[in-house]
Amino acid sequence: MEVGEERFPKQRQVLVLFLLVGVAVAGWESRRYSVMEETESGSFVANLAKDLGLGAGELAARGARVVTEDKEPRLQLDLQTGDLILNEKLDREEMCGSTDPCVMHFQVLLKKPLGVFRAELLVRDINDHSPEFSEREMTLRIPETSPPGTVFPLKKAQDLDVGNNNIQNYSISPSSHFHVSTRDLGDGRKYPELVLDKELDREEQAQLRLTLTALDGGSPPLSGTAQVHILVLDVNDNAPEFAQRLYHVQVPENSPVGSLVVKVSARDLDTGTNGEISYALSYSSQEISKTFEVNSLSGEVRLIKKLDFETISSYELDIDASDGGGLSGKCSVSIEVVDVNDNSPELTISSLTSPIPENSPETEVALFQIRDRDSGDNGRMTCSIQDDLPFLLKPTEENFYTLVTNGALDRETRAQYNVTITVSDLGTPRLKTQHNITLLVSDVNDNAPAFTQTSYTLFLRENNSPALHIGSVSATDRDAGANAQLTYSLLPPHDPQLPLASLVSINADNGHLFALRALDFEALQAFELLVLVKDNGEPALSASVTLHVLLVDGFSQPYLPLPEVAADQAQADPLTVYLVIALASVSSLFLFSVLAFIAVRLCRRSRAAWVGGCSVPEGHFPGHLVDVSGTGTLSQSYQYEVCLTGGSGSNEFKFLKPVFPNILGQDIGRKAEGNPTFHDSLGI
């Protein structure tokens, strides 16, 4: 009782500790850290041990590690100091493109007990890209009749940086006829527009060359330039105008190549070549030019590449409409890619435990994360396993799940489980992913050995040879490995005066029993040896069985136990009755054969005796009649002559002399014939 009383307070302390840790993990909020792009690898980001409220050594003890969504090893956690450091230089433009802010989500996984700490790393932009124009030179055809204040759109530059590091304004080389204004569309995009300040005179100056400069807002600012070639034309005084300045369209991501996206339309009030309109993409990134094309005559925008919502969810196109006189108009097309359920759920195993010890309470088997790259219902998921398994799925945070045992397992009932984890989304049609896990159940020594019989009975003929194998006992154990390795031994007898150790021994490995010396029925009719068998487990389990050994006296029936015991065994074990009948039959047949043999010999010797004297038998008694050693029975090494003597009125057998296979035996025989006293000294 004292041990139990000490154990329960310790268990309560462990439970309280787990509850406190669980509350601390549940209280963690997502934190954001920041770092400048292009920061050197190995740079310090934050001390996670301090933010988690853990000692530095606890991170290593709890198996902490950092997991990012894209599985790229960009961050590294020093388990000794708790510092989160950069594992490589980060390129904001490569990671996020034009998306601002650029945020990388990651989690810190803790085990023993389980915890998930969510965090974000904000990659701040540096001004490491200069503005660039897609064309080094652009040409404008401006009618000489254009009034002051006329605006001519120019092609904008591109800067891969974001925010203030992106293009802020445009400027142009000094000119008495033009200046440049920067037009802000309100979505962060800025276009240059060439504004006419003074009327042109073609006869005075037919063309002009100006330098257009794009300047970003970095510190120091970076710039890019392009040449503007202005051709002064006559008469064409109407520029093309689009029916809409902005087009909004939605395109399913599974639209086939060649699909019509939108058709834009512009008109020009001029006639002839000055009213002929052609359409073209005004400015296009490499990705846009590989994805869309514009028919120059019809204004149709079509797909030339498959869309992927998970890669790019929207596009912004700028289309120019130019007439034959060099005037142009501009419109924008905003294309929204509509998500379809074209991505199956993904499953990533973070940890797996196999084999699982049997008889253990609820045990964590696996930790895994699921993800679907689609959005909306297409990206919402359900997770399940088979119903007929003793396992449960428990959701944690950030789409992490743990697979745990639903109670203790029994290896002897089932040693292996095949678990199929099925993750299905809620899209139409539903897509699913299956992951198979094979789990093995390791053995615990929870089964004691069991003998194949409740008791054993062995029959042993007396005067047996030493080291004779007299029988076996056998036991089985449902456990496996060392827990099922059995060792047999003999327990001390109930009677302390019975020298059991000098009578019988047992093989510890296979249960074979051996008689150590010859047994005498007259000295010991029966005994019962207990046999103990134990396994090799920790702690070892054992079982015992009673072994009855019954001795058989020569030609007689075997010794039987006490009446009350014998009656029960006679009813329960008919095999014993059959064995006794068989031994009696064989003994009777053997005795009859010996008597018949002696009678034949006597008849022959009787005929010889009438002639006179004593004759030596032609043969000798069979060896098996005298093959007993140390019990008063004649040994096989002796053979005796028999003769019939007559004249005294009665005939009888007399053993005259042993026949030795050497000269000494012959001499003893001659002395025996001449000296009746010598016969008496031999006890004959």
Side-chain angles (χ1 to χ4, degrees):
M1 293 298 293
E2 295 179 356
V3 175
E5 292 175 356
E6 294 177 358
R7 183 181 304 167
F8 288 119
K10 292 182 179 179
Q11 292 179 348
R12 286 196 290 269
Q13 293 174 5
V14 173
L15 290 175
V16 171
L17 177 60
F18 281 158
L19 288 175
L20 291 177
V21 173
V23 170
V25 173
W28 289 338
E29 296 180 356
S30 178
R31 299 197 181 188
R32 173 173 287 190
Y33 305 97
S34 65
V35 67
M36 300 294 293
E37 68 167 325
E38 303 300 331
T39 300
E40 290 296 328
S41 174
S43 299
F44 173 82
V45 177
N47 187 279
L48 292 183
K50 179 179 179 182
D51 292 343
L52 293 174
L54 300 174
E58 290 183 77
L59 292 176
R62 294 183 63 183
R65 62 191 184 97
V66 175
V67 178
T68 59
E69 287 186 347
D70 55 3
K71 310 305 180 189
E72 292 293 333
R74 295 191 173 101
L75 297 174
Q76 181 178 350
L77 178 60
D78 189 335
L79 297 179
Q80 303 303 320
T81 64
D83 290 341
L84 181 67
I85 59 178
L86 290 178
N87 207 32
E88 64 183 22
K89 282 186 177 182
L90 301 182
D91 187 346
R92 192 206 66 80
E93 288 73 33
E94 179 182 349
M95 293 174 59
C96 300
S98 60
T99 303
D100 189 34
C102 181
V103 178
M104 181 179 71
H105 299 274
F106 68 95
Q107 299 91 26
V108 179
L109 300 183
L110 299 175
K111 298 196 298 186
K112 304 175 186 176
L114 174 66
V116 180
F117 172 68
R118 296 175 297 165
E120 300 174 348
L121 181 63
L122 174 64
V123 182
R124 298 199 301 270
D125 184 54
I126 63 173
N127 194 24
D128 57 344
H129 292 88
S130 299
E132 292 182 0
F133 289 90
S134 60
E135 297 178 7
R136 301 297 297 175
E137 180 175 319
M138 57 188 78
T139 301
L140 292 180
R141 293 175 173 83
I142 301 177
E144 61 179 346
T145 57
S146 299
T150 303
V151 176
F152 304 95
L154 298 175
K155 295 181 179 179
K156 75 181 186 71
Q158 180 187 20
D159 194 334
L160 296 179
D161 295 321
V162 295
N164 288 332
N165 294 328
N166 206 323
I167 297 172
Q168 298 300 313
N169 57 66
Y170 294 85
S171 64
I172 201 166
S173 57
S175 171
S176 59
H177 291 279
F178 300 96
H179 77 274
V180 168
S181 65
T182 302
R183 182 176 181 180
D184 193 343
L185 296 181
D187 58 355
R189 294 179 296 161
K190 297 180 180 180
Y191 290 90
E193 293 181 335
L194 188 65
V195 181
L196 182 62
D197 294 330
K198 179 182 176 181
E199 289 184 353
L200 298 173
D201 187 355
R202 181 180 179 279
E203 287 70 28
E204 179 181 349
Q205 189 176 10
Q207 60 181 6
L208 296 86
R209 287 191 175 272
L210 304 174
T211 300
L212 178 64
T213 302
L215 197 68
D216 65 22
S219 179
L222 301 178
S223 61
T225 61
Q227 296 296 313
V228 180
H229 185 200
I230 300 174
L231 300 177
V232 182
L233 304 177
D234 287 329
V235 184
N236 188 23
D237 55 354
N238 291 287
E241 292 184 1
F242 282 92
Q244 297 176 227
R245 293 286 295 176
L246 181 63
Y247 292 82
H248 287 283
V249 293
Q250 292 182 331
V251 183
E253 65 171 324
N254 60 348
S255 299
V257 173
S259 298
L260 177 64
V261 177
V262 67
K263 180 178 181 179
V264 298
S265 176
R267 68 173 184 168
D268 194 314
L269 298 178
D270 294 323
T271 59
T273 58
N274 293 331
E276 295 176 354
I277 298 176
S278 63
Y279 301 91
L281 290 173
S282 173
Y283 167 79
S284 61
S285 65
Q286 187 176 13
E287 183 63 33
I288 290 177
S289 62
K290 288 183 177 180
T291 308
F292 304 96
E293 68 174 4
V294 179
N295 188 299
S296 60
L297 298 179
S298 65
E300 293 179 345
V301 180
R302 293 185 178 274
L303 284 176
I304 58 175
K305 177 186 174 183
K306 293 282 291 183
L307 299 177
D308 186 2
F309 173 86
E310 289 69 38
T311 303
I312 301 178
S313 60
S314 63
Y315 296 89
E316 299 293 334
L317 278 63
D318 297 317
I319 300 178
D320 284 339
S322 303
D323 61 19
L327 299 181
S328 62
K330 185 183 296 292
C331 76
S332 296
V333 179
S334 178
I335 301 175
E336 178 184 354
V337 181
V338 179
D339 182 41
V340 296
N341 196 24
D342 60 343
N343 288 279
S344 297
E346 301 173 7
L347 186 148
T348 303
I349 299 291
S350 298
S351 65
L352 179 64
T353 301
S354 181
I356 314 163
E358 66 171 333
N359 299 338
S360 297
E362 183 175 296
T363 304
E364 179 182 309
V365 177
L367 172 65
F368 61 92
Q369 183 183 27
I370 60 175
R371 182 177 72 157
D372 195 310
R373 297 178 183 271
D374 295 317
S375 61
D377 287 341
N378 297 332
R380 283 192 279 271
M381 298 165 288
T382 61
C383 188
S384 63
I385 60 174
Q386 305 101 299
D387 295 331
D388 58 344
L389 297 181
F391 298 96
L392 293 177
L393 282 179
K394 291 188 175 181
T396 58
E397 300 180 14
E398 296 293 330
N399 287 333
F400 275 92
Y401 283 81
T402 56
L403 178 66
V404 297
T405 57
N406 185 18
L409 302 179
D410 184 9
R411 188 204 65 83
E412 288 71 38
T413 302
R414 189 168 179 179
Q416 176 176 314
Y417 293 90
N418 293 319
V419 181
T420 300
I421 303 175
T422 302
V423 184
S424 176
D425 60 28
L426 301 181
T428 303
R430 289 196 172 190
L431 300 179
K432 69 178 180 179
T433 296
Q434 291 185 329
H435 189 89
N436 295 321
I437 299 176
T438 299
L439 299 176
L440 303 178
V441 182
S442 61
D443 186 53
V444 174
N445 193 27
D446 58 347
N447 289 278
F451 282 94
T452 57
Q453 298 178 206
T454 56
S455 65
Y456 293 83
T457 301
L458 299 179
F459 293 96
L460 174 63
R461 186 183 297 275
E462 70 169 336
N463 301 329
N464 57 280
S465 299
L468 176 67
H469 176 230
I470 61 175
S472 301
V473 294
S474 178
T476 59
D477 195 311
R478 297 181 62 199
D479 294 319
N483 296 330
Q485 293 178 357
L486 302 182
T487 302
Y488 298 88
S489 62
L490 297 177
L491 293 177
H494 297 300
D495 184 0
Q497 298 189 9
L498 179 64
L500 183 63
S502 64
L503 299 179
V504 180
S505 67
I506 189 169
N507 188 308
D509 296 327
N510 54 30
H512 290 182
L513 292 156
F514 298 89
L516 296 180
R517 62 184 180 85
L519 300 179
D520 186 1
F521 176 82
E522 287 72 24
L524 181 65
Q525 290 80 31
F527 57 91
E528 64 180 34
L529 256 72
L530 293 174
V531 178
L532 176 71
V533 62
K534 67 177 180 178
D535 58 30
N536 201 29
E538 288 292 339
L541 301 179
S542 63
S544 62
V545 71
T546 302
L547 175 65
H548 302 277
V549 179
L550 308 181
L551 266 68
V552 179
D553 178 23
F555 304 112
S556 66
Q557 299 293 334
Y559 169 77
L560 297 179
L562 295 176
E564 60 272 12
V565 178
D568 294 339
Q569 289 188 352
Q571 295 177 0
D573 192 3
L575 181 61
T576 303
V577 178
Y578 299 151
L579 181 59
V580 172
I581 295 174
L583 288 175
S585 301
V586 172
S587 300
S588 301
L589 181 62
F590 176 74
L591 181 61
F592 177 77
S593 300
V594 172
L595 293 176
F597 177 79
I598 295 175
V600 172
R601 288 296 185 184
L602 288 176
C603 292
R604 291 181 180 178
R605 296 306 178 190
S606 297
R607 289 193 297 269
W610 292 110
V611 179
C614 180
S615 62
V616 179
E618 296 178 358
H620 55 79
F621 291 120
H624 63 274
L625 294 179
V626 294
D627 187 11
V628 181
S629 61
T631 58
T633 310
L634 295 178
S635 171
Q636 279 188 341
S637 60
Y638 288 88
Q639 297 177 346
Y640 292 86
E641 293 182 350
V642 180
C643 71
L644 278 174
T645 59
S648 62
S650 63
N651 295 334
E652 62 180 2
F653 287 106
K654 288 190 177 181
F655 295 92
L656 297 181
K657 64 178 180 179
V659 181
F660 289 87
N662 49 49
I663 299 176
L664 178 61
Q666 295 176 0
D667 292 338
I668 294 175
R670 285 192 293 270
K671 291 179 180 180
E673 292 177 357
N675 190 355
T677 306
F678 186 73
H679 289 282
D680 296 334
S681 65
L682 292 177
I684 300 177

